[in-house]
Amino acid sequence: TGQVADAVVETLKPLGAAVIVECQHMCMMMRGVEKNGSLTVTRALRGAFKTDESLRRELGDMLRTDRG
């Protein structure tokens, strides 16, 4: 997640970048925990998303709205 955010910043030079990755790990479902539907969520914030609390709040609001 961090590498993706860094690549976006280095390539596009935006004022900020937010990358959120949600995934299911096969190892969580097949062995060990053996729990289907186990999600892992990681996030990386860069630039304005890291320093501006109101911008982070707006992003969070948009993400909650998109999930219905």
Side-chain angles (χ1 to χ4, degrees):
T1 306
Q3 289 175 326
V4 172
D6 291 342
V8 168
V9 170
E10 289 172 18
T11 303
L12 301 177
K13 310 272 191 264
L15 294 175
V19 176
I20 301 168
V21 176
E22 182 178 292
C23 63
Q24 291 184 338
H25 287 277
M26 292 301 292
C27 62
M28 292 282 286
M29 294 188 299
M30 297 176 71
R31 63 174 196 255
V33 176
E34 295 183 12
K35 184 176 179 186
N36 288 333
S38 295
L39 292 177
T40 299
V41 179
T42 59
R43 72 174 187 170
L45 304 174
R46 302 292 187 264
F49 284 103
K50 192 170 186 176
T51 60
D52 186 338
E53 184 179 338
S54 66
L55 190 57
R56 281 194 310 275
R57 191 176 309 115
E58 183 178 345
L59 174 64
D61 291 344
M62 286 189 309
L63 291 170
R64 280 187 290 281
T65 300
D66 287 346
R67 288 178 170 240

